């Protein structure tokens, strides 16, 4: 992107549309998006919603669809309607070039250059518009390994950007204190850092370990009522997948382990902080029976993901202890969660 904007013909343009290689915009995309920039000089970005051509490919893509639909239909929509800050999704958006240049242009200091740009442009006082009815088709990663790499980048990058930009946001004089608080606390700390730690350590470490300490009582609102309410809110964005909510919860807890690891690397600037692995997508390979030409079959050993297996063994041990010595029904959840870790650990998820 940085190199593309240096070409001479860019000087004749006011806007730039950004698409990843697998995105398929409709012919009227620009006709529907650009007027928001032309008639609103304070608007820097128009973001479209993603829809997925392979959401029905497997259970893993169905669960990805649930998470991403919630992100777009709830998080992005609420940020736009309240004129609060929301991030650029890296693709399916149209930027005002002058706004990008005023904020310092495209930078590659983290693996989330899109979010970096959006935060800097937002701190210059520009506004963003999200269009829920403007959709762009794209493909979800259907291989578990590819999805893990993507989630590492999506969790490590924001955490590293949070580390780099916190003081810059605090010292900014162009936006209100409320907007600074919103970006630092709500956008970064809660949604990009705390949620991963809370999900993994509470539901995969603290709750299982509690079976060994009967004197410790974890209130039902924290283990049943609040998680159930949050899960229902997520499924409202994808009502056709409501019956998969249990699988979605268990799978999200598994992925929380990888997101927590990525977040720690980003905050501490560990060795993989700038690792960029292109998300592998199979396109029509499955439909055309060309998978054997795209990827080589792995041995059983190569398919094993040791981290998931180790956590699964621990949760299974807690479940067995709870079944034999426990005084609650917690072991039912623990058996299900251990199964989810084993299914992921032995590579039986995705295509």
């Amino acid at each position: 992107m940085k190199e593309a904007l240096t070409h001479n013909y860019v000087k004749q343009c006011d806007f730039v549309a950004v698409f990843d290689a697998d995105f398929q915009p409709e012919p009227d995309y620009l006709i529907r998006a650009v007027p928001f920039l032309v008639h609103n000089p304070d608007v820097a970005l128009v973001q479209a919603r993603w829809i997925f051509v392979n959401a029905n490919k497997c259970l893993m893509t169905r669960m990805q669809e649930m998470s991403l639909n919630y992100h777009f239909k709830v998080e992005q929509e609420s940020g736009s309607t309240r004129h609060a800050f929301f991030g650029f999704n890296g693709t399916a958006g149209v930027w005002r070039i002058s706004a990008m240049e005023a904020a310092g242009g495209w930078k590659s200091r983290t693996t989330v250059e899109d979010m970096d740009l959006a935060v800097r442009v937002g701190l210059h006082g520009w506004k963003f518009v999200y269009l829920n009815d403007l959709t762009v088709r794209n493909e979800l990663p259907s291989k578990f390994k590819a999805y893990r790499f993507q989630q590492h980048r999506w969790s490590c990058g924001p955490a590293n950007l949070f580390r780099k930009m916190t003081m810059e946001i605090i010292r900014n004089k162009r936006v209100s204190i409320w907007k600074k608080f919103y970006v630092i606390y709500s956008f970064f700390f809660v949604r990009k850092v705390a949620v991963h730690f809370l999900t993994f350590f509470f539901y995969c470490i603290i709750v299982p370990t509690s079976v060994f300490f009967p004197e410790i009582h974890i209130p039902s609102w924290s283990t049943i009522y609040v998680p159930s309410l949050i899960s229902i809110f997520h499924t409202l964005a994808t009502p056709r997948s409501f019956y998969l909510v249990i699988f979605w919860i268990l799978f999200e807890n598994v992925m929380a382990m990888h997101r927590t690891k990525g977040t720690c690397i980003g905050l501490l600037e560990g060795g993989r902080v700038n690792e960029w692995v292109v998300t592998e997508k199979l396109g029509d390979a499955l439909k055309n029976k060309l998978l054997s030409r795209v990827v080589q079959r792995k041995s059983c050993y190569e398919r094993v993901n040791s981290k998931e297996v180790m956590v699964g063994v621990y949760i299974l041990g807690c479940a067995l202890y709870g079944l034999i010595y426990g005084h609650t029904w917690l072991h039912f959840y623990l058996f299900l969660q251990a199964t989810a870790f084993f299914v992921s650990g032995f590579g039986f998820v995705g295509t």
Side-chain angles (χ1 to χ4, degrees):
M1 173 64 75
K2 186 175 181 179
E3 292 298 321
L5 292 175
T6 61
H7 289 284
N8 291 330
Y9 61 79
V10 176
K11 298 177 182 178
Q12 306 174 32
C13 305
D14 295 321
F15 315 113
V16 57
V18 184
F19 297 101
D20 280 356
D22 62 303
F23 276 68
Q24 306 166 33
E26 298 295 335
D28 63 347
Y29 175 86
L30 292 177
I31 295 175
R32 297 174 62 186
V34 172
F36 287 90
L37 294 161
V38 173
H39 300 293
N40 299 276
D42 294 333
V43 173
L45 166 69
V46 175
Q47 172 72 58
R49 177 165 61 93
W50 301 359
I51 56 175
F52 313 102
V53 297
N54 66 331
N56 293 323
K57 183 64 67 177
C58 61
L59 184 60
M60 191 182 80
T61 54
R62 289 288 296 274
M63 290 184 287
Q64 288 181 66
E65 181 191 37
M66 293 172 67
S67 298
L68 288 170
N69 278 351
Y70 175 82
H71 167 68
F72 281 101
K73 295 182 180 180
V74 178
E75 295 178 340
Q76 299 292 73
E77 180 77 43
S78 64
S80 180
T81 54
R82 292 184 295 109
H83 300 290
F85 172 80
F86 68 90
F88 174 44
N89 294 111
T91 178
V94 183
W95 277 98
R96 186 185 301 275
I97 295 177
S98 60
M100 298 174 64
E101 293 174 345
W106 195 268
K107 295 184 179 180
S108 57
R109 55 180 173 174
T110 69
T111 57
V112 284
E113 303 103 319
D114 49 352
M115 185 182 296
D116 187 350
L117 175 64
V119 173
R120 287 184 282 111
V121 172
L123 292 177
H124 275 69
W126 292 90
K127 297 178 181 178
F128 302 159
V129 172
Y130 166 73
L131 301 179
N132 190 63
D133 61 341
L134 180 59
T135 59
V136 181
R137 293 174 295 168
N138 71 101
E139 183 181 353
L140 294 164
S142 58
K143 292 178 62 180
F144 183 55
K145 183 177 181 180
Y147 184 58
R148 284 175 57 187
F149 279 126
Q150 181 197 67
Q151 294 303 298
H152 170 82
R153 188 173 74 248
W154 286 7
S155 56
C156 180
N160 190 234
L161 184 62
F162 177 50
R163 171 191 172 116
K164 293 179 182 296
M165 289 204 69
T166 300
M167 293 308 300
E168 182 179 341
I169 296 171
I170 292 174
R171 290 193 294 262
N172 185 277
K173 300 185 186 320
R174 295 185 181 90
V175 297
S176 65
I177 295 177
W178 163 248
K179 189 166 187 178
K180 295 179 186 179
F181 176 78
Y182 176 83
V183 174
I184 292 175
Y185 178 75
S186 180
F187 180 77
F188 273 118
F189 179 72
V190 173
R191 290 162 53 186
K192 308 300 181 186
V193 177
V195 67
H196 305 318
F197 284 93
L198 175 64
T199 301
F200 176 64
F201 285 106
F202 184 74
Y203 293 106
C204 299
I205 302 297
I206 295 176
V207 170
T209 306
S210 68
V211 301
F212 299 114
F213 305 94
E215 65 275 10
I216 296 178
H217 173 70
I218 300 178
S220 298
W221 63 263
S222 64
T223 56
I224 300 176
Y225 303 127
V226 172
S228 298
L229 192 62
I230 294 173
S231 301
I232 291 173
F233 285 153
H234 271 82
T235 56
L236 290 177
T238 315
R240 75 186 187 98
S241 299
F242 181 79
Y243 68 99
L244 297 174
V245 64
I246 300 299
F247 296 100
W248 177 80
I249 293 171
L250 298 174
F251 183 68
E252 283 294 294
N253 288 345
V254 173
M255 293 310 302
M257 177 182 69
H258 295 289
R259 293 169 183 147
T260 299
K261 178 185 175 184
T263 301
C264 289
I265 292 174
L267 290 174
L268 301 175
E269 291 200 327
R272 294 179 58 196
V273 66
N274 289 318
E275 179 184 66
W276 182 283
V277 178
V278 176
T279 303
E280 181 182 1
K281 298 179 181 180
L282 300 179
D284 293 332
L286 288 175
K287 183 168 60 179
N288 297 332
K289 299 181 180 180
L290 297 175
L291 184 60
S292 60
R293 302 180 187 179
V294 178
V295 293
Q296 297 179 345
R297 291 185 178 274
K298 293 183 178 181
S299 65
C300 294
Y301 177 78
E302 290 176 320
R303 289 178 56 178
V304 173
N305 303 304
S306 58
K307 298 181 183 66
E308 287 91 338
V309 173
M310 288 189 292
V311 176
V313 168
Y314 176 72
I315 295 178
L316 178 62
C318 295
L320 292 172
Y321 185 90
L323 176 64
I324 299 172
Y325 300 105
H327 303 286
T328 67
W329 299 99
L330 189 60
H331 55 276
F332 282 109
Y333 156 72
L334 296 181
F335 278 121
L336 289 173
Q337 190 62 72
T339 301
F341 271 98
F342 285 132
V343 167
S344 301
F346 289 106
F348 294 111
V349 62
T351 52

